[in-house]
């Protein structure tokens, strides 16, 4: 679930939602023509196209559901190209699939406009226990006291570190604190290698803000100019990158993202999600690396981010009960056993997270991170807030702003 291209999609969604809302659900057919009659029918599942491995996992999950519901066929309808731009006209014309993928960051636009079905009554009716899921993943799809989706999988952030470089530098364990991160980065910065690389993007540096006592979005309002936020931005971008030269923005290393800096041995440590694992297997199969929880500021609390996608329910589905059964199966224990076996994303059911950690002990940091993560979701201002926060970090890196305070005050001003 790589987050490189999410902003384009968010902007497109925001622009289109106003037109969409007037065409949505007030006159929808809410009669539920469920499976109790025994008649055969088809449930449609919408989502973006994915890798052959991901498609095989979904096919296996759907086959498991169909085995238990022989009168229901399930058809996956992958969208090629801009998923959101193609989904919105379908909702407007009431031709969207019964359930469909919805990214947490764009979900507020759909929830706020009321163009998807709240599922709280169906959750109770179908005995789905939301507390079984990772809390932050559920919160990402809740709005004004209602729940609008069941999270199907997620990713968090962790520190990837090069074991061979650590050995040569005499470092015996990954850094657990900011001071250790800085000390280790200094030791590792030599012979064309930069100790630490992180992009100038909010979805990478936000955990450091929160660890320092800062915040990004509170009670429906942006808080980029929270004074505590300055500490984290100055630590990473002003001091480690600008003054000490022991960290680097990926583009200054000649690559587009930190994952490539790590795969090409240009950086010894990076902050990324588990999407980097298949990238390393393809680009740098012989690199020995470890994965650890993010270093925590001295005296601070651990923090992380959760990137997640839910199955959302169409307001226009004629089979809401059965669609809910399908959502519960795909995101429940049986469906998520397939997610664990596949190893491409993390299961949102907490108990299955333990199985994931048992199967992949070297990846436990991602599961642990979920317990103290915040969702990558900032209400209906998500696109503006993320863009402003990204530019604040870039301004420090490029020297356009002297420090975190000035950069974040400018960013906050753009959100008025």
């Amino acid at each position: 679930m790589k987050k490189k291209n999410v902003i384009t999609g968010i902007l497109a969604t925001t622009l289109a939602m106003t037109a969409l809302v007037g065409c949505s659900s007030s006159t929808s057919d809410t009669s539920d023509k469920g499976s109790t009659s025994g008649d055969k029918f088809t449930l449609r599942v919408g989502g973006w196209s994915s890798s052959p491995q991901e498609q095989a996992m979904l096919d296996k999950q759907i086959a498991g559901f169909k085995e238990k519901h022989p009168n229901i066929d399930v058809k996956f309808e992958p969208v090629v190209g801009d998923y959101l731009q193609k989904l919105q006209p379908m909702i407007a014309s009431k031709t969207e699939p019964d359930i469909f993928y919805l990214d947490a960051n764009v979900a507020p636009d759909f929830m706020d406009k009321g163009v998807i079905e709240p599922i709280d009554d169906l959750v109770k009716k179908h005995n789905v226990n939301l507390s079984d899921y990772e809390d932050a993943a559920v919160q990402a799809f809740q709005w004004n006291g209602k729940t609008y989706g069941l999270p199907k999988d997620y990713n968090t952030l962790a520190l990837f570190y090069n074991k061979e470089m650590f050995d040569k530098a005499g470092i015996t364990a990954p850094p657990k604190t900011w001071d250790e991160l800085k000390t280790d980065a200094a030791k590792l910065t030599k012979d064309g290698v930069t100790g630490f690389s992180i992009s100038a993007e909010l979805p990478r540096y936000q955990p450091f803000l929160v660890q320092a006592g800062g915040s990004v979005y509170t009670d429906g309002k942006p808080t980029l100019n929270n004074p505590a936020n300055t500490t984290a931005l100055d630590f990473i971008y002003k001091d480690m990158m600008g003054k000490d030269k022991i960290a680097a923005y990926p583009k200054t290393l000649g690559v587009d993202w930190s994952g490539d800096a790590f795969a090409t041995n240009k950086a010894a440590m990076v902050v990324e999600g588990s999407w980097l694992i298949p990238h390393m297997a393809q680009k740098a199969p012989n690199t020995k690396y470890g994965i650890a929880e993010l270093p925590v500021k001295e005296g601070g609390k651990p923090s992380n981010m959760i990137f997640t996608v839910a199955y959302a329910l169409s307001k226009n589905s004629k089979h809401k009960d059965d669609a809910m059964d399908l959502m519960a199966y795909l995101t429940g224990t049986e469906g998520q056993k397939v997610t664990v076996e596949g190893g491409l994303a993390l299961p949102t059911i907490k108990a299955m997270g333990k199985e994931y950690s048992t199967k992949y002990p070297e990846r436990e940091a991602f599961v642990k991170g979920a317990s103290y993560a915040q969702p990558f979701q900032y209400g209906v201002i998500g696109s503006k807030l993320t863009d402003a926060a990204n530019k604040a970090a870039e301004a420090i890196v490029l020297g356009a702003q002297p420090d975190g305070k000035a950069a974040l005050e400018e960013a906050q001003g753009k959100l008025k």
Side-chain angles (χ1 to χ4, degrees):
M1 190 181 305
K2 197 170 173 179
K3 308 303 295 183
K4 291 179 67 178
N5 300 317
V6 70
I7 302 305
T8 301
I10 297 169
L11 289 170
T13 302
T14 304
L15 291 172
M17 290 305 295
T18 301
L20 176 61
V21 64
C23 305
S24 65
S25 58
S26 61
T27 60
S28 65
D29 179 2
T30 57
S31 60
D32 194 330
K33 300 175 176 60
S35 61
T36 53
S37 66
D39 295 338
K40 288 195 172 184
F41 61 94
T42 299
L43 289 176
R44 297 163 56 217
V45 180
W48 44 80
S49 57
S50 54
S51 68
Q53 294 85 354
E54 290 175 292
Q55 186 61 53
M57 287 168 49
L58 179 59
D59 290 345
K60 190 172 182 179
Q61 290 172 321
I62 289 175
F65 176 82
K66 290 169 65 174
E67 187 175 338
K68 292 179 176 295
H69 301 80
N71 64 317
I72 303 176
D73 191 16
V74 179
K75 182 181 180 183
F76 179 61
E77 300 178 356
V79 172
V80 179
D82 192 317
Y83 176 74
L84 293 172
Q85 285 200 351
K86 293 183 178 180
L87 174 63
Q88 291 159 16
M90 286 194 284
I91 293 176
S93 61
K94 302 178 182 177
T95 59
E96 75 272 29
D98 295 281
I99 67 173
F100 49 86
Y101 295 178
L102 188 63
D103 189 282
N105 206 315
V106 301
D109 288 306
F110 290 78
M111 297 186 290
D112 188 59
K113 302 301 182 187
V115 297
I116 53 178
E117 182 76 12
I119 61 171
D120 299 278
D121 290 342
L122 289 168
V123 163
K124 292 179 182 177
K125 183 177 179 180
H126 291 257
N127 297 316
V128 176
N129 189 350
L130 294 180
S131 64
D132 287 345
Y133 295 78
E134 294 291 353
D135 296 340
V138 173
Q139 292 163 10
F141 301 98
Q142 292 180 323
W143 190 258
N144 292 334
K146 296 181 180 179
T147 306
Y148 288 87
L150 293 181
K152 72 182 191 72
D153 53 30
Y154 74 90
N155 238 302
T156 54
L157 298 172
L159 183 78
F160 287 74
Y161 61 97
N162 186 306
K163 289 185 174 180
E164 291 182 352
M165 292 179 184
F166 268 50
D167 288 343
K168 289 181 180 177
I171 304 171
T172 58
K176 294 183 178 179
T177 67
W178 287 17
D179 282 348
E180 290 178 3
L181 175 66
K182 189 172 182 179
T183 300
D184 290 349
K187 291 179 181 178
L188 292 159
T189 301
K190 58 183 178 182
D191 302 329
V193 175
T194 296
F196 179 56
S197 180
I198 185 171
S199 64
E201 294 177 337
L202 181 63
R204 297 297 178 276
Y205 73 72
Q206 178 178 314
F208 294 89
L209 301 186
V210 179
Q211 289 179 18
S215 61
V216 174
Y217 181 76
T218 304
D219 297 331
K221 296 181 180 178
T223 56
L224 293 178
N225 61 346
N226 181 327
N229 290 343
T230 300
T231 303
L233 255 67
D234 284 349
F235 173 73
I236 298 171
Y237 300 107
K238 179 185 173 186
D239 295 338
M240 289 187 69
M241 284 190 186
K243 186 179 72 175
D244 300 327
K245 312 295 185 188
I246 56 176
Y249 178 59
K251 289 190 181 300
T252 64
L253 299 175
V255 295
D256 288 333
W257 67 298
S258 297
D260 270 343
F262 194 66
T264 56
N265 292 329
K266 293 181 178 178
M269 298 182 286
V270 298
V271 172
E272 289 293 344
S274 72
W275 51 78
L276 181 52
I277 296 172
H279 185 76
M280 291 297 293
Q282 181 180 15
K283 298 288 186 180
N286 297 320
T287 297
K288 293 181 172 59
Y289 64 89
I291 304 170
E293 290 180 86
L294 298 179
V296 180
K297 187 181 187 310
E298 291 72 12
K301 296 181 179 179
S303 180
N304 209 308
M305 302 193 70
I306 197 162
F307 309 97
T308 184
V309 172
Y311 285 107
L313 176 60
S314 163
K315 294 197 78 165
N316 302 304
S317 173
K318 295 179 179 178
H319 307 287
K320 290 190 175 74
D321 264 317
D322 299 288
M324 185 67 200
D325 268 342
L326 177 58
M327 291 167 62
Y329 181 87
L330 295 175
T331 66
T333 299
E334 290 182 86
Q336 298 220 330
K337 281 183 180 177
V338 179
T339 304
V340 172
E341 292 167 3
L344 297 176
L346 288 97
T348 46
I349 295 288
K350 294 172 186 173
M352 299 309 297
K354 293 179 181 177
E355 291 200 15
Y356 182 92
S357 293
T358 299
K359 185 175 179 66
Y360 310 102
E362 72 280 7
R363 306 180 190 179
E364 188 179 24
F366 297 114
V367 178
K368 287 185 173 179
S371 67
Y372 47 79
Q374 296 181 348
F376 180 50
Q377 196 253 66
Y378 314 106
V380 295
I381 64 167
S383 60
K384 288 184 178 179
L385 187 151
T386 305
D387 184 57
N390 291 352
K391 288 179 178 175
E394 289 175 357
I396 302 172
V397 172
L398 299 174
Q401 290 289 358
D403 54 29
K405 184 177 188 304
L408 290 170
E409 286 290 353
E410 182 182 56
Q412 183 75 16
K414 293 177 181 177
L415 300 173
K416 292 181 179 177

